[in-house]
Amino acid sequence: MTITPALDPARPVLDQLRERVTALEGGPARLPVPVLPALSGLVTLRTGSSYGVDSASLALALAAGASRSGEWVGFAGWADFGAEAAAGLGVDLARTVLVPDTGEHWLEVTAALVDVLRVVVLRPPTRVDARAAGVLDARLRKRSSVLVVWGDWPRCEARLSLEDVRWTGPDHGHGRLRSRQVRVAVRRGTAPPVRAELAFPGDEAPLNLLSADQPPGRTLRWASG
């Protein structure tokens, strides 16, 4: 007798049912994609899915884990892409594709990147409707890729947002900004958000998880570095 695993209460039920149907039909598996250790207890990236963020820092952080593990990543529609900030979080610029300006053909450009890269970060130049999102969703499943969207997106596996930012560095008005402590909220469907305190790197220090809420019925794996 085959025992069907229980549904995860922290994730949308409909998404989990779709995954089971895809598996039964022999569709592509939703494979895990590495994330930075500090994020490992907060969000799990899986191929065939899209994830939303509201800041450049979170966009880079979600791409950095795959890049550090040897995967190629891409950034589309990011005219002011910060190469130094990306490298500081662990993005290997030698395995990075950058399309600063996608213009009106952003959908085609992003689809082409999804075809060849494991993780693609998109900054849409316009409001995205369900039809355009559906085109990329299908491409993600077919190519076993991950899409991170900086901005609004009709359907996301999870959304990460900054709720509080605190800088450290200047002393009595002198010196330079060295690092940031931020409070991040991770939302999955209708489940209550999970919040965590993170320290973004300064002076080549790694991204660190300082503290995290523990949602009901779920154990977080704490990590740093």
Side-chain angles (χ1 to χ4, degrees):
M1 180 178 64
T2 301
I3 300 176
T4 303
L7 296 176
D8 183 351
R11 296 181 53 215
V13 173
L14 185 57
D15 288 350
Q16 297 180 71
L17 294 177
R18 284 173 177 164
E19 292 170 12
R20 293 185 179 184
V21 170
T22 299
L24 291 173
E25 293 176 344
R30 297 184 70 246
L31 304 174
V33 174
V35 296
L36 294 176
L39 300 177
S40 62
L42 300 174
V43 62
T44 300
L45 298 188
R46 292 192 178 275
T47 57
S49 299
S50 56
Y51 300 81
V53 298
D54 69 350
S55 70
S57 297
L58 292 176
L60 292 174
L62 284 187
S67 182
R68 285 178 57 178
S69 71
E71 298 283 1
W72 279 75
V73 300
F75 299 86
W78 198 331
D80 56 350
F81 176 79
E84 184 176 353
L89 278 169
V91 175
D92 186 343
L93 300 179
R95 291 193 302 273
T96 298
V97 176
L98 174 63
V99 184
D101 184 6
T102 59
E104 62 182 14
H105 301 293
W106 68 269
L107 182 59
E108 293 83 355
V109 171
T110 306
L113 293 177
V114 165
D115 281 348
V116 296
L117 305 175
R118 180 64 76 191
V119 177
V120 176
V121 178
L122 168 65
R123 192 176 184 182
T126 185
R127 183 177 179 85
V128 180
D129 57 28
R131 183 199 64 80
V135 170
L136 286 180
D137 285 343
R139 204 69 160 253
L140 293 171
R141 292 190 294 269
K142 182 177 181 181
R143 298 299 186 183
S144 294
S145 300
V146 171
L147 180 67
V148 176
V149 181
W150 179 5
D152 294 330
W153 197 252
R155 293 181 295 271
C156 286
E157 181 79 9
R159 297 179 186 275
L160 287 73
S161 58
L162 294 182
E163 293 187 336
D164 185 39
V165 179
R166 299 178 302 281
W167 286 91
T168 61
D171 184 18
H172 302 294
H174 300 281
R176 63 187 179 88
L177 297 172
R178 291 195 302 269
S179 63
R180 286 177 299 155
Q181 290 187 14
V182 303
R183 186 166 181 81
V184 178
V186 182
R187 294 176 171 83
R188 300 175 180 83
T190 59
V194 176
R195 292 180 169 84
E197 298 280 345
L198 299 173
F200 274 83
D203 298 327
E204 299 184 357
L207 178 68
N208 287 315
L209 173 65
L210 303 178
S211 64
D213 297 341
Q214 183 173 328
R218 185 178 178 189
T219 301
L220 287 173
R221 292 178 299 159
W222 285 42
S224 62

